[in-house]
Amino acid sequence: MTRAPVLGELAVLDDVGPPRRGRAYPAAGATSALLLPAALLLGGLVLWPVLRTVHASVTTDGRWVGAAHFRAALDAPDTAAVVGRTVLWALLVPAVVTGLGYLLAAASRRSQEGGLVRLILVVPIALPLVVTGVTFRLMYDPDPTRGLATLLAARVTGRSAEDAPQLLGPGLVTVALMSAFIWAWVGLAVLVFRAALDRVPSSLADAVRAHGGGRRHVLWDAQWRPLLLRTFAVVFALVAVGTSRTFDLILVMAPGSVRDEAAVLALRVWQTSGGTTTGEGAALGVVWLVAVAAGMLVAALFVRQAWPPPRPAEPEPEAQPANVPPPRLFRLIAAGAAVAWLIPLGVLVATSLHRPVDAAAEHWWSAPLSLDSYRDVLGGSELWRALTFTLLLATVVTAAVVVVALLAAYPLAWLTGPAAQATGLLLMAASIVPVQVIAGPVNEVLGVVLSSGTARGLALVHLALGVPFAVLVLRNAFADLPAEQVRGARLGGRHWWGTLRRLARHNRSAIVAVSVLEFVQVWNDLVVGLLFSGPEAAPLGLFLAGQTRGFVANSGALATGSVIASVLPVLLVVLARRHLVAGLVAGGVR
């Protein structure tokens, strides 16, 4: 859009439209200023630490040693088993989550109980992985007088209570951890598949049936081939990346005696180097980083498309979902899944409603109910201090992430062709960098700016880790806007900030999605707090994890603290679930 004098009056010449879509808005000077905050954060706290880790993996005290650290790290005892478990997590768990998510999404459509089923399945998404770990450790307690799953396993196998299968023992601990992760992530897959299924035009299924196709042909030709196959790839890739962040779950749920038998690269890198930069730790981090980057590139190949996506000349009629209800068996499966998903939550809440002594020594299903655990926990100052600090931290970080991401997404949204694709890949890569890999160099940076171990340093790390994904979603959401809305925003805004403000109004769902996800991410965090917090900056996740050291004795207080810590994120995700799906679909990773 340009302004020029015409017959003595200032006229606005509208040059917005598909042919001019690639023109950078705003001007080059303002673009540099808008990108500067995000560039400083990503350069100083993501890119430089990655390069520093790579350098540390091939040097010792500045002296080149080549692959020596890699050989030492990979030849260490159990490293092959750790890598194998990491691969198993990255392949098996996403396959189960994706398949089960699709099945439950299809089974809960167009039925009276479908909304309630989906609501129940969504709740675990919002729980901190620390809370998920506490919940399943209570269920899988090796003592059948406390562990419901252990008691049921003993009865199913016909064994005595003393010989009951040890679900948290060396042989089954990985299976137990995977079951907890699947329970926590299936709801996200259900939401995404439900949104995809609702966008399948009913005319496709009608056309397949008109040509004599059965239910199997409708599934393949009217759902999977046109839309769901790509959705499957997106969900699989998302969960696969998520499995690289199972650190919280393993640290809390796996007893110390079997932690090595459950270790994956996320845990081994931390065990090797912690918050420092060491040669072998850096080498393992580089191996992990390469594996995650390779997975990201494969996912990008599956979901690649032109950018921005081409728009039809005329608006298409809204797709109406077919009114064919799912089979009765499917509806029963969905109802059964909802009941199963409620059991862990019931165990957590029931344990919290007992006296601390009863929670540690008796069946939670037989001991008398009491609010003593809540009185003890709420009467102390530690939980309140952690809650207050985490609330303030999550609010400040979320506001800063949204502002920085909006400023950066605005100029990036108008890139086209290879520049847009390269920007998307870089943002995706920055989004999936495991924080354990760069912990040492990040602590070095924080030490330089006098922020190491402080609340300011913790906020900076969360900000740097949250910005890439937020920019990616908002950039895609801006570029997805119809040209008419862009034209209206530019005509109504005299300056770029006016245009940005008007464009942001059209992307409320994407902004809400970014805000809720970032808030919940900071609120639920353990690993960032463990690596970068100090005595005066202890977040909620770190407080809960600290209580697990005496797990049985503290089970009542742990369950109570976990319930209290889960209320706010669950409310946010449940209330904003439609915005979450709409925002992520509108600004999906392409």
Side-chain angles (χ1 to χ4, degrees), residues 271-574:
Q271 290 175 327
T272 304
S273 59
T276 61
T277 305
T278 63
E280 292 185 21
L284 279 178
V286 170
V287 171
W288 186 15
L289 193 61
V290 169
V292 172
M296 182 269 294
L297 288 174
V298 171
L301 290 176
F302 271 107
V303 300
R304 68 186 186 278
Q305 71 176 52
W307 185 258
R311 296 187 174 278
E314 296 180 2
E316 294 180 350
E318 255 186 61
Q320 297 296 328
N323 292 319
V324 180
R328 180 176 178 80
L329 176 61
F330 273 33
R331 297 201 300 273
L332 290 176
I333 290 173
V339 173
W341 253 247
L342 279 175
I343 291 174
L345 295 174
V347 170
L348 181 68
V349 174
T351 303
S352 72
L353 291 173
H354 290 84
R355 293 185 303 137
V357 174
D358 292 339
E362 299 185 28
H363 303 82
W364 57 262
W365 52 89
S366 61
L369 298 179
S370 170
L371 293 176
D372 285 359
S373 292
Y374 282 92
R375 293 190 188 97
D376 291 348
V377 170
L378 294 175
S381 61
E382 290 186 34
L383 178 63
W384 286 112
R385 189 181 305 115
L387 283 170
T388 304
F389 174 78
T390 306
L391 178 62
L392 181 61
L393 177 69
T395 302
V396 171
V397 170
T398 299
V401 165
V402 171
V403 171
V404 173
L406 278 172
L407 295 178
Y410 175 55
L412 293 178
W414 319 119
L415 297 177
T416 57
Q421 298 289 358
T423 301
L425 287 175
L426 287 175
L427 290 171
M428 286 179 64
S431 300
I432 62 174
V433 171
V435 67
Q436 295 96 317
V437 173
I438 59 175
V442 168
N443 270 317
E444 293 173 8
V445 174
L446 295 179
V448 171
V449 297
L450 304 179
S451 297
S452 183
T454 66
R456 183 173 65 253
L458 196 61
L460 282 173
V461 175
H462 276 298
L463 183 58
L465 295 176
V467 161
F469 180 75
V471 173
L472 186 65
V473 171
L474 294 176
R475 178 206 75 150
N476 295 352
F478 279 141
D480 273 352
L481 288 175
E484 293 76 15
Q485 291 183 350
V486 178
R487 179 182 297 111
R490 296 198 67 211
L491 290 173
R494 292 184 58 86
H495 304 285
W496 64 262
W497 53 85
T499 304
L500 173 58
R501 186 173 63 252
R502 286 167 172 79
L503 290 174
R505 292 174 185 168
H506 297 304
N507 278 320
R508 285 198 186 99
S509 289
I511 294 174
V512 169
V514 167
S515 301
V516 171
L517 289 175
E518 182 60 30
F519 186 95
V520 170
Q521 173 67 26
V522 177
W523 180 275
N524 292 349
D525 169 72
L526 168 62
V527 63
V528 175
L530 183 65
L531 293 171
F532 304 107
S533 66
E536 302 302 321
L540 184 59
L542 199 58
F543 167 78
L544 292 176
Q547 302 298 307
T548 63
R549 294 189 182 95
F551 191 89
V552 174
N554 289 335
S555 56
L558 258 174
T560 302
S562 297
V563 170
I564 294 171
S566 302
V567 172
L568 183 56
V570 167
L571 282 176
L572 285 175
V573 169
V574 168

